[in-house]
Amino acid sequence: MRILVADCTVDYEGRLNAHLPRARRLIVVKADGTVLVHADTSGKPLNWMTTPNHLIEEEGRWLITNGKGERLTLDLHEVHFDTQIDLGEDPGLQKDAVELELQRLLAEHLDALEEGMTLIRREYPTPVGPVDLLCRDAGGGTVAVEVKRRGEIDGVEQLTRYLEFLNRDHRLAPVRGLLVAQIVKPQARTLAEDRGIGWREVDYEELAGAESDVLRLF
Amino acid sequence: MRILVADCTVDYEGRLNAHLPRARRLIVVKADGTVLVHADTSGKPLNWMTTPNHLIEEEGRWLITNGKGERLTLDLHEVHFDTQIDLGEDPGLQKDAVELELQRLLAEHLDALEEGMTLIRREYPTPVGPVDLLCRDAGGGTVAVEVKRRGEIDGVEQLTRYLEFLNRDHRLAPVRGLLVAQIVKPQARTLAEDRGIGWREVDYEELAGAESDVLRLF
DNA sequence: AGTTCCATGTCGCGG
DNA sequence: CCGCGACGTGGAACT
């Protein structure tokens, strides 16, 4: 990794055209070729070029191009700082994805949603995308469940689209919708209720706990 | 801006939980308080905390919290490099956006969309937001055009909401919808067709070319 | 401040 | 490889 601080002007031509007037900035060139230009505010770089790309370093000017017709030009007027250090490979990030895990947990504990509910299929396909959980309720009716970390308006819209298509399948119809999330926002509640869609908040920890309880039985 | 390279382990708890095993990484603390942790690949930080936040620096451990219950913990096992430099304010980025330009080009070349179509107004207001282009077609019918760089399901939903309101105005009704984009995704096509909304792909270069041809006449 | 919509989005998964 | 949806989306524009 090469790290420098320099007074520079930057130009990008590609998916759009952008220009950065002269100022002092942090420039990082990573081992994989990625180039980042950062100012002293905000998490996002002002400008960048991801790998794969080709860097030509000339007298005070870097020209970075990338096969897709994009081009980043850095004019380095004054370099205040320039160092190189080998970081080695990164073991990478471990993260607990919430939505998928929540979907998996729910699929195995549908009774936590409604007494007597059973799973027809996870990721049930429709022409406008897959329904997270397609279920049968205690009365034999079909229920489309959309799982989100946060239940917002677009979750209700998504479920509405699925229902529109599912209800044309006379083997399934009538299908009702159920939005499940750790938090369901007030606007989403209102819209869901207005459309006859159910909503339910679930506690992740509780479900995870329920699972470890089940495991403990064996 | 403070720039350091250190062998570190990182933990994030907040919108999800994530853990980074020990490795050598670049750590940047910006003047506004933003903290970034970068590995030697990819443009995106492995972990970060944007401003506003609160940083407590202890013996080999940084604790960064942010009022919304998020917490980033950095354990610095060995610091290889640590420097501070003042960048000053950045004059900021100037960029030419694609979508607006596309809308402008289309407004001036409606015949490229449909023979005989004329413009009523750009950014025609409705209670749920402005319609990009409101037009009259060759047969005297009203057409609401939504312009996007990429036509996706969101665009169809947006147009659907506009049509709902426009069609209540008996001076305009019936109004049909037309989604215009450089690329219209299959799911968006399906949904649009299902709702009787038209869609059309246009070539930006071709439009820009048509315009320069016109200019060349003068 | 809350909401909506764009993005040089980036990323990861499934066909 | 492309299509498609999630994202700790981030950020800007607008109410």
Side-chain angles (χ1 to χ4, degrees):
Chain A
M1 179 180 281
R2 184 167 171 192
I3 301 162
L4 52 162
V5 174
D7 293 352
C8 58
T9 55
V10 186
D11 284 276
Y12 165 78
E13 294 163 61
R15 288 177 267 189
L16 57 68
N17 296 329
H19 172 73
L20 287 173
R22 178 171 177 158
R24 191 166 301 175
R25 303 189 177 95
L26 167 69
I27 300 163
V28 176
V29 184
K30 293 196 174 187
D32 70 353
T34 300
V35 179
L36 305 173
V37 180
H38 274 274
D40 218 344
T41 56
S42 144
K44 210 183 144 195
L46 289 168
N47 239 319
W48 67 93
M49 185 79 90
T50 48
T51 185
N53 64 41
H54 183 70
L55 193 156
I56 302 164
E57 189 173 347
E58 289 172 20
E59 184 78 20
R61 161 173 288 208
W62 293 5
L63 185 60
I64 304 142
T65 52
N66 83 343
K68 280 178 285 186
E70 293 174 84
R71 151 197 300 252
L72 186 66
T73 314
L74 285 98
D75 284 296
L76 307 180
H77 307 294
E78 193 180 346
V79 176
H80 299 279
F81 184 81
D82 186 353
T83 189
Q84 185 128 14
I85 186 163
D86 186 36
L87 298 193
E89 282 224 357
D90 201 283
L93 184 65
Q94 299 162 15
K95 60 178 172 182
D96 305 340
V98 174
E99 188 184 333
L100 259 172
E101 181 63 7
L102 192 58
Q103 191 193 120
R104 192 191 62 76
L105 280 171
L106 279 170
E108 300 186 0
H109 301 281
L110 282 173
D111 49 339
L113 283 183
E114 268 187 37
E115 191 66 35
M117 193 135 83
T118 56
L119 186 66
I120 298 175
R121 229 198 107 165
R122 280 176 67 179
E123 302 288 350
Y124 185 93
T126 79
V128 288
V131 179
D132 287 340
L133 303 173
L134 195 69
C135 308
R136 200 164 295 291
D137 67 18
T142 315
V143 187
V145 179
E146 178 65 27
V147 182
K148 286 265 180 282
R149 191 173 59 79
R150 290 156 53 106
E152 303 188 6
I153 278 188
D154 55 347
V156 181
E157 294 286 17
Q158 201 175 335
L159 192 44
T160 305
R161 291 194 297 270
Y162 296 153
L163 290 169
E164 211 176 311
F165 281 86
L166 292 171
N167 271 313
R168 290 183 199 169
D169 185 337
H170 54 277
R171 287 162 308 180
L172 300 175
V175 185
R176 66 184 164 93
L178 182 59
L179 177 66
V180 177
Q182 289 178 282
I183 302 161
V184 180
K185 295 280 208 97
Q187 290 199 339
R189 295 179 184 194
T190 305
L191 186 63
E193 284 163 8
D194 190 66
R195 295 193 179 164
I197 291 174
W199 60 267
R200 191 144 175 356
E201 292 184 340
V202 291
D203 189 69
Y204 179 90
E205 303 298 335
E206 206 172 284
L207 275 173
E211 175 152 271
S212 60
D213 286 349
V214 171
L215 290 174
R216 213 170 297 136
L217 292 175
F218 294 92
Chain B
M1 178 180 281
R2 183 168 173 193
I3 301 162
L4 53 161
V5 174
D7 294 349
C8 58
T9 54
V10 186
D11 284 275
Y12 165 78
E13 293 163 63
R15 289 181 264 191
L16 57 69
N17 295 330
H19 172 73
L20 286 174
R22 177 171 177 158
R24 191 167 300 174
R25 305 190 176 93
L26 167 69
I27 300 162
V28 176
V29 185
K30 294 196 173 188
D32 69 354
T34 300
V35 179
L36 306 173
V37 180
H38 275 274
D40 217 345
T41 56
S42 146
K44 210 182 145 194
L46 288 169
N47 243 320
W48 68 93
M49 186 78 91
T50 48
T51 184
N53 64 43
H54 184 71
L55 193 156
I56 303 164
E57 189 174 346
E58 290 173 20
E59 183 78 20
R61 159 172 288 208
W62 292 6
L63 185 60
I64 305 141
T65 51
N66 83 343
K68 279 178 285 187
E70 294 174 83
R71 153 197 299 253
L72 186 67
T73 313
L74 285 96
D75 283 297
L76 307 180
H77 306 294
E78 194 180 345
V79 176
H80 299 279
F81 184 82
D82 186 352
T83 189
Q84 185 128 15
I85 185 163
D86 185 36
L87 299 193
E89 281 224 358
D90 199 283
L93 184 66
Q94 299 160 15
K95 60 180 169 181
D96 303 339
V98 174
E99 187 185 333
L100 260 172
E101 181 63 6
L102 190 58
Q103 189 193 124
R104 191 191 63 75
L105 279 170
L106 280 170
E108 300 188 359
H109 300 281
L110 282 173
D111 48 340
L113 282 183
E114 268 187 38
E115 191 65 34
M117 192 135 84
T118 57
L119 185 68
I120 297 174
R121 230 199 105 166
R122 280 176 67 180
E123 303 286 350
Y124 185 93
T126 78
V128 286
V131 180
D132 287 341
L133 304 173
L134 195 69
C135 308
R136 201 164 294 290
D137 68 18
T142 315
V143 186
V145 179
E146 176 65 28
V147 182
K148 286 264 181 286
R149 195 171 61 78
R150 291 154 54 107
E152 303 187 7
I153 277 185
D154 287 4
V156 180
E157 294 289 14
Q158 202 175 332
L159 192 42
T160 304
R161 291 194 295 269
Y162 296 154
L163 289 170
E164 204 177 319
F165 281 88
L166 292 171
N167 272 312
R168 290 184 198 168
D169 185 337
H170 55 279
R171 288 163 308 180
L172 299 174
V175 185
R176 65 184 165 93
L178 183 59
L179 177 67
V180 177
Q182 290 177 281
I183 301 161
V184 180
K185 293 298 191 83
Q187 290 198 342
R189 295 177 184 192
T190 305
L191 186 64
E193 285 164 7
D194 190 69
R195 295 191 181 167
I197 291 174
W199 58 267
R200 190 141 174 3
E201 292 184 340
V202 292
D203 188 70
Y204 180 88
E205 301 299 334
E206 207 173 283
L207 277 172
E211 175 151 273
S212 61
D213 286 350
V214 170
L215 290 174
R216 212 171 297 136
L217 293 174
F218 294 93

